[in-house]
Amino acid sequence: MPLYTIIVFVALGLLGALIAYLGDVIGARLGKRRSTIFGLRPRQSARLVAAVIGGLLPLLGLGVATVGSRYARTAVFEMHSLFDQRQQLETQVESLQQDVKLYEGRAERAEEAAEELKAIQQEQHERIEGLQTREDELQARASSLQDRVGGLSGRVDTLVARRDELTTELSEAQEGLQRSQVDLQQARERLDITEEELLAKEREVEQKLRQVENIGNQLDVVSRELDSAVRELEPAQQELQATHEELTEREEELNELEARLQQVMSHHELVSKRPDVLFEPWDELLRIVQSADRTQDQVVADLFEWLHLASAVVESRGVPEGANGRAVVVVAPPPEDMQPGEASERQIVESVASLLRGAGPDEWVVMVRVYRRYFRGDDTQVAVAFKATPNEHKFHEGEVLDEFVLRSTIRELDAITTLWHRITDDDSPVRARAIAEGMLPRPNTTSYGSIDLAAIYRATQEIRGGSGRMLVQLRAASDTYTRGPLELKIDVRPVEEPS
């Protein structure tokens, strides 16, 4: 039991005893003197004094308690406010429980999406392995065809050279035959030639004729072999060309699949920081919706509670507690009449509470952000600042944020890449719409649209399963407020052609 409570009980007992004693003494004296009050008989006057003294005892105790204890004053004079605060806290607890259920549902959906992503990754790995095997086969086939084409090309070159050589020899033999035939004809016309010389000329002509026939036969054989080699070379060259083309296509597909797999494996946002930096300026520790219809004291209490929650976040990263019992200390924004560093935590919190209670929206998004860079190993508290913005309705459920047309013949990887960029790129229409409406991005990122890769993959299958031109619409999955997140869904349907 606290020392203050013990002192209060002892003091109340002593004062009660003293008052009772004084009341008894006063009543006894009035009885002895037979004095009267308000014309009453002495006995009744003494009873009246005892009753007044008895009524003063609880009032005196309550007065001492209210003077000495803030909690007693609150219980006596602000009981209705306490009941209202309790009811609001119960409502807030219910809201937080609903948020917990919502986040649990999102976690389940995220786990399902993770399983689907694992299946996609496995499928892509298998496809990559199949493509690599096919690429190895094509490379071996191309090498074999290259050797075969080289051999056939060498054979063709050899046959062409032999054909040219035989053609030259045939031409020379034909010219020699013609000269021998001319000499034989001239010898037959001469009267002084002997029979032996004539026979010799005839044998010479016959020999050259056989030589011409032999060379002609060899030339025919070489020509046939050359034609056969050429006919065999052409399909080999065509097959080699087709193999090279298929090998190029498989390499491109393999590169695209590897890039797609890399995107799937690194779809979540990674915040790049220096290794020795634990928190960067404006890193968001907490984001909560705050109602503006609460009293000043209630809002102040809420803000201090948010600071404790932000402290729990940084404590989980190894930041030590400070003198205020938290790992964070609020330093901004200071009141209007003070400079940064001059105001205390209490003054800053009360100034922010006054802002939230002023004329304006019914709800605020209150964020606790890191104010200065915090290095790993620092033994100081993390300096934080409050940031508040109105929580207003931005998008209705089903509202179209972007629409475009894709053909059903588009390749799977191209469709996935197109959908991904239309949602996540810095110049995406979704991000532009969200910024134009004044939405907050996801904490510690610059991105707005939120959707599972599995949903993108399903939409891709719907697009490729359609016919002709397909209309793709990116819609808000639910009513969305400033706080976010902007969750999306994808609708796919055929484009209605004008009649």
Side-chain angles (χ1 to χ4, degrees), residues 4-149:
Y4 170 77
T5 304
I6 297 174
I7 294 174
V8 169
F9 283 155
V10 172
L12 288 176
L14 293 176
L15 286 174
L18 178 60
I19 293 172
Y21 173 76
L22 292 176
D24 184 66
V25 171
I26 293 172
R29 289 186 179 181
L30 287 175
K32 288 180 180 180
R33 294 180 182 178
R34 304 188 64 82
S35 301
T36 62
I37 299 176
F38 304 122
L40 299 174
R41 296 175 62 185
R43 183 184 297 273
Q44 293 175 343
S45 297
R47 290 175 178 173
L48 177 61
V49 170
V52 171
I53 295 300
L56 289 175
L57 283 174
L59 292 176
L60 179 61
L62 187 60
V64 172
T66 55
V67 170
S69 173
R70 178 171 63 87
Y71 300 104
R73 288 197 300 274
T74 301
V76 172
F77 301 111
E78 299 181 13
M79 185 60 70
H80 181 70
S81 176
L82 288 176
F83 279 119
D84 290 342
Q85 185 174 1
R86 177 182 176 182
Q87 185 176 1
Q88 291 175 355
L89 288 175
E90 290 176 349
T91 303
Q92 188 173 357
V93 168
E94 293 177 357
S95 176
L96 290 175
Q97 289 175 343
Q98 293 176 356
D99 289 342
V100 168
K101 293 180 180 179
L102 175 63
Y103 289 125
E104 288 177 350
R106 290 179 181 174
E108 292 177 357
R109 292 196 298 271
E111 291 177 357
E112 294 175 357
E115 293 298 329
E116 293 181 3
L117 287 176
K118 289 180 181 178
I120 295 174
Q121 291 176 5
Q122 182 65 27
E123 179 185 351
Q124 300 295 343
H125 276 301
E126 292 175 355
R127 291 180 62 184
I128 287 174
E129 291 176 357
L131 286 173
Q132 289 175 340
T133 302
R134 178 59 178 166
E135 183 180 6
D136 294 339
E137 294 175 355
L138 289 173
Q139 287 177 344
R141 178 63 176 165
S143 178
S144 174
L145 287 172
Q146 189 71 41
D147 294 340
R148 183 182 175 190
V149 168

Side-chain angles (χ1 to χ4, degrees), residues 395 423 425-438 448:
F395 298 110
I423 295 173
D425 278 2
D426 288 342
D427 58 350
S428 67
V430 172
R431 185 172 186 269
R433 282 287 306 276
I435 292 175
E437 294 294 335
Y448 290 82

